[in-house]
Amino acid sequence: MALILAFTGCGRSDIQQTQQQSEPQVSQSQPEQVQRVRLPFFPEDTLNPYTCQTLQNSCLTSLLYDPLVTLDQDYQPKNRLAQEVTVEGTSCVVKLRSGLTFSDGSPFTSADVLASLELARQTPRYSAALTGVVGAEAPDSNTLVITLSQADIYFPRSLTFPILQIGTEAQERPVGCGRFVLEEGQTRMVVNESYYRVAGNIRTVELVATQTMEEQSYGVMEGTIDLMYSDLQSDLNLGLGIGYRQIPLSNMVYLGVNSQRLGWDEQTRCVFSAMMDREEIARKAYMGFAAATALPINPAASATALGVAQLDLSVDRQNQQLDALGWQQRDSEGWRTQNGRRFSVGLLINSENNDRQSVAQLIKDSCAQLGVEIVVEALPFEQFQERIAQGQYDLYLGEVKMPGNLDLSRVLFPDPQLGPGAADDQELRQAHTQLHSGELSQEDFEAMLEKKMPVIPLLFRRGIFCFSRDFSANIVATEQDIFYNIEEW
């Protein structure tokens, strides 16, 4: 079926970072060579990747500014401006491609990379992946040496921050060395002829001024805009007739568990996790724009097939597991009891997020079928955050953007913002360290996560890449770069 989006509000504003429609196939062949693409642009915002505020401008910056490394559809690192990235112990050595220049013809050096690294460490959208950096130096113009707080074989996945020419970082349109350059009038981009790779069919990017997501949606429908992207932070309305692709995101929706307050051990958390019908939640609450998971690792980046497929969702099996935990007694209304009192668990949610309210209702209903009472408490986002920070919750329904470098520490262990009451499992801490040092395989670590379940992941959300009826291309898009393969369009 075809699809259009109409955005009516900011329903998903709480990141601390219905029927599923079938996704149309994009033609592998182009009836005629496409040389121009028209993209939405917010003229009041900057085109500086570190300061822009709008989603559409942030997407455009990936055409103007390249990173050292980009992540492919499986979240594996692929070199861009870096020729080679080597990690040994706590040292990461980056060798730059030789002969690179910025779009103004000036040489590209490690001093520019060093300045952008320091800027990225201070910018929230990039800093989460760089918390392990304790220092960096540029011993020569073609080399950057980064010192880490501990060994991390996954650190190359953190080198996705855009590189700007040193001295232009504060400008609204800094100098870059990306695939395209902004023309003088600033309403059009053209191919960067000095780029290290050969350009494809697309030679020109026309910037179409838009103010809202709704304007973009109707621009695509009417054919004045060829492509638009949304991370679906707002409510959507399906049905008006354009093509689309789903884009995996690193935004994990999960249940934070106050194990210290509830007294839950790993067995109890695993039983409760098995009660979650994640596929139903993805289908009904997110209309299929999500990937169900029982692991805090994006399914696209997971090394195993563990998780949702292995969970036994049969009512008989779940009842047996709950009985085995000592909750086999029930009151006159059929609710399970503990120590002679009805066994109920509080679930804290953000009242300003419609999707979370839908998820909470689905969880409440599925648990009720098993005799477990879920008491939902909905609070405005600011109060919601305060309660979590204070540890005043049993469970809470949250969303967090997970770093691409497999640093899961914020959701696996007690965190002042994401849950001070989380289980503090020293065996899991050691395993997390060993994962990053290379002493433990990702497969073995995922198997341990499935048994420990310190947090209860539900799904990873997906964004959407929409295109007009008249636009045809073999599009490969990623969260970091929706124009990932623009040279092949």
Side-chain angles (χ1 to χ4, degrees), residues 86-339:
T86 305
V87 178
E88 288 189 13
T90 59
S91 178
C92 175
V93 179
V94 181
K95 292 289 186 180
L96 306 180
R97 293 185 185 275
S98 59
L100 293 179
T101 61
F102 283 100
S103 58
D104 66 355
S106 60
F108 170 81
T109 72
S110 56
D112 301 290
V113 180
L114 182 59
S116 292
L117 170 61
E118 293 307 312
L119 182 58
R121 293 176 66 190
Q122 301 168 29
T123 306
R125 71 183 66 170
Y126 302 110
S127 60
L130 299 169
T131 54
V133 175
V134 295
E137 60 177 345
D140 60 57
S141 62
N142 201 51
T143 307
L144 184 74
V145 179
I146 302 172
T147 303
L148 309 176
S149 59
Q150 61 182 23
D152 186 2
I153 62 173
Y154 298 99
F155 181 72
R157 302 185 188 188
S158 300
L159 302 175
T160 57
F161 54 92
I163 309 301
L164 313 182
Q165 184 185 65
I166 191 169
T168 69
E169 302 96 329
Q171 296 178 11
E172 290 193 355
R173 285 144 178 80
V175 178
C177 49
R179 293 161 286 183
F180 286 78
V181 295
L182 193 64
E183 282 198 326
E184 220 34 64
Q186 299 183 347
T187 60
R188 189 171 74 155
M189 296 181 191
V190 295
V191 164
N192 180 2
E193 299 295 350
S194 64
Y195 193 63
Y196 73 93
R197 287 197 313 222
V198 177
N201 295 329
I202 302 294
R203 310 297 298 180
T204 305
V205 176
E206 301 286 350
L207 303 181
V208 181
T210 59
Q211 299 291 325
T212 65
M213 281 289 193
E214 187 173 10
E215 284 183 34
Q216 294 180 46
S217 301
Y218 283 99
V220 173
M221 182 183 67
E222 294 166 358
T224 59
I225 293 175
D226 294 313
L227 303 165
M228 68 164 284
Y229 167 74
S230 170
D231 57 7
L232 298 184
Q233 294 267 18
S234 305
D235 298 331
L236 69 154
N237 176 39
L238 305 180
L240 292 178
I242 55 176
Y244 71 96
R245 280 285 179 93
Q246 292 195 19
I247 310 299
L249 301 180
S250 55
N251 299 56
M252 183 179 74
V253 177
Y254 65 100
L255 287 175
V257 184
N258 195 337
S259 295
Q260 298 177 36
R261 173 169 165 167
L262 290 168
W264 284 7
D265 58 14
E266 58 191 56
Q267 181 185 6
T268 305
R269 293 192 299 270
C270 286
V271 169
F272 201 85
S273 173
M275 293 163 59
M276 302 296 108
D277 190 339
R278 293 161 168 87
E279 296 287 1
E280 180 185 49
I281 292 171
R283 184 176 65 254
K284 292 185 176 179
Y286 291 89
M287 290 177 280
F289 286 86
T293 183
L295 295 172
I297 298 174
N298 196 303
S302 174
T304 69
L306 297 175
V308 174
Q310 305 229 337
L311 295 178
D312 187 349
L313 297 178
S314 67
V315 173
D316 288 344
R317 175 58 177 161
Q318 291 178 4
N319 275 321
Q320 290 173 6
Q321 291 179 322
L322 288 167
D323 290 348
L325 290 175
W327 301 332
Q328 66 269 34
Q329 300 298 320
R330 302 198 183 213
D331 63 17
S332 59
E333 297 179 31
W335 296 106
R336 293 179 182 274
T337 61
Q338 184 178 35
N339 300 323

